Amino acid sequence: MRGAVLYAPGDIRVEERDDPTILAPTDAIIRLSATCVCGSDLWPYRGVEAVDGPAPMGREYVGIVEEVGSEVQHIKPGQFVVGSFWASDNTCEICQAGYQSSCVQRVLMGTIGTQAELARVPLADGTLVATPDIPPDDLIPSLLAASDVLGTGWFGAVAAEAGPGKTVAVVGDGAVGLLAVLAAKQLGAERIIAMSRHQPRQQLAVEYGATDIVEERGDQGVARIKELTGGLGAHSVVEAVGTTESMTQAIRSTRPGGHVGYVGVAHGVELSVEELFFSHVHLHGGPAPVRRFLPELIDLIWNRQIDPGKVFDLSLPLEQAAEGYRAMNERRAIKTLLTI
């Protein structure tokens, strides 16, 4: 099969990889209908995370089941499925509490690499959710978004306790941040403030439900949020970047007693515990338990109540994955969809 491999920072190649096989009786093999480049893939691409190349890339996936292991009971060949970027059994105590991304048997799909024609999915019964039927082509981008960025933005909004009567601010205008805006709207937030300096992203944020746009960053961004909220700060803030600056901005933009949902993959983040102590701000986040939300998200997409696929503003064939990485790295694209 063909698949994307990272050899060194900035060096993505699409080459022949071994076809996946059933390694455990709980595995499934799927033929991907589409995959994509994640903002988190840019960390190793930029050299911020060490690359032990050549490394297969990709952790988001949708497609048709081709084969299942002998112990797989609920997922069948021929089904169209969506899976989380963490494989999980969905039965352990941690999963049952709603934190499948910390499952005792979890497997990060990025270690398998789903920017490819085929993928092995461990713990298939717990990880994969089948759609009601084979979806029309125009729904595939939205279903693919559910595999990670939609579920991650949704978790950020849930962790921030977005809901009716709340003012929600979103720090970060990548795909996760934009879909956190969508999630806050779906969860009934009264006011949604998107922090963005980029006109196309601002426009999509407004389409998804943003009521206000704040272009300022850092202390100026915090001051603007306070100005919009009577000096108090937002009830709920979603942090979708993963830097010290973005986390500090999120915490300082939150009113005492408010909640920060942080879902940006943290890189070198350092916070003042003393400042946090006196802020009275709740922090909750981490790797999103996408599997918790998949049934609801698939239903919303299937019934065309939400359209998260709009975050894919560049579509390329798998063979052009390197250009997809470059476009996102240079902020010429929000998110790249790779067709198979």
Side-chain angles (χ1 to χ4, degrees), residues 2-292:
R2 304 288 286 171
V5 178
L6 180 64
Y7 276 77
D11 185 6
I12 286 280
R13 308 176 197 177
V14 177
E15 60 186 27
E16 287 296 324
R17 291 175 47 198
D18 291 339
D19 285 0
T21 58
I22 298 290
L23 300 181
T26 51
D27 288 348
I29 305 296
I30 66 169
R31 180 167 295 278
L32 276 78
S33 300
T35 183
C36 56
V37 181
C38 180
S40 296
D41 294 332
L42 297 181
W43 294 108
Y45 180 78
R46 293 168 176 160
V48 177
E49 289 180 2
V51 178
D52 186 16
M57 295 297 289
R59 59 183 186 176
E60 296 155 279
Y61 55 100
V62 293
I64 304 290
V65 178
E66 289 211 334
E67 183 182 2
V68 298
S70 60
E71 294 182 11
V72 177
Q73 298 180 3
H74 305 296
I75 297 299
K76 310 294 183 185
Q79 288 181 317
F80 187 96
V81 292
V82 183
S84 167
F85 64 95
W86 284 101
S88 60
D89 61 29
N90 207 34
T91 59
C92 76
E93 288 187 36
I94 305 302
C95 287
Q96 290 298 296
Y99 290 88
Q100 292 90 336
S101 47
S102 284
C103 173
V104 297
Q105 296 192 74
R106 70 179 182 175
V107 178
L108 181 58
M109 291 299 296
T111 62
I112 291 172
T114 62
Q115 289 166 10
E117 294 175 311
L118 297 161
R120 179 180 68 88
V121 181
L123 306 168
D125 274 338
T127 302
L128 299 173
V129 178
T131 56
D133 202 343
I134 304 299
D137 289 346
D138 68 314
L139 283 187
I140 288 176
S142 287
L143 292 167
L144 178 60
S147 183
D148 182 353
V149 286
L150 174 59
T152 296
W154 200 277
F155 176 55
V158 168
E161 299 205 357
K166 299 284 187 71
T167 293
V168 180
V170 179
V171 179
D173 63 356
V176 170
L178 291 168
L179 292 175
V181 170
L182 180 154
K185 177 69 173 178
Q186 288 293 311
L187 293 168
E190 181 175 301
R191 190 177 193 184
I192 303 168
I193 305 168
M195 307 191 82
S196 173
R197 290 180 171 180
H198 303 89
Q199 195 278 328
R201 299 175 188 228
Q202 294 174 356
Q203 181 178 338
L204 187 52
V206 170
E207 287 184 41
Y208 280 156
T211 56
D212 301 86
I213 300 293
V214 168
E215 295 194 353
E216 295 87 348
R217 293 182 181 175
D219 290 342
Q220 291 181 322
V222 172
R224 183 71 180 125
I225 295 292
K226 293 287 183 72
E227 181 183 337
L228 291 170
T229 56
L232 299 178
H235 300 92
S236 305
V237 179
V238 180
E239 188 284 325
V241 182
T243 65
T244 297
E245 293 75 15
S246 60
M247 278 293 291
T248 300
Q249 182 172 313
I251 292 166
R252 292 177 179 174
S253 297
T254 309
R255 66 178 58 196
H259 295 76
V260 173
Y262 61 100
V263 290
V265 181
H267 285 79
V269 174
E270 296 183 1
L271 300 176
S272 166
V273 175
E274 183 177 2
E275 179 180 351
L276 194 58
F277 179 80
F278 285 102
S279 72
H280 271 149
V281 168
H282 302 77
L283 293 182
H284 183 44
V290 171
R291 179 61 181 82
R292 185 207 304 183

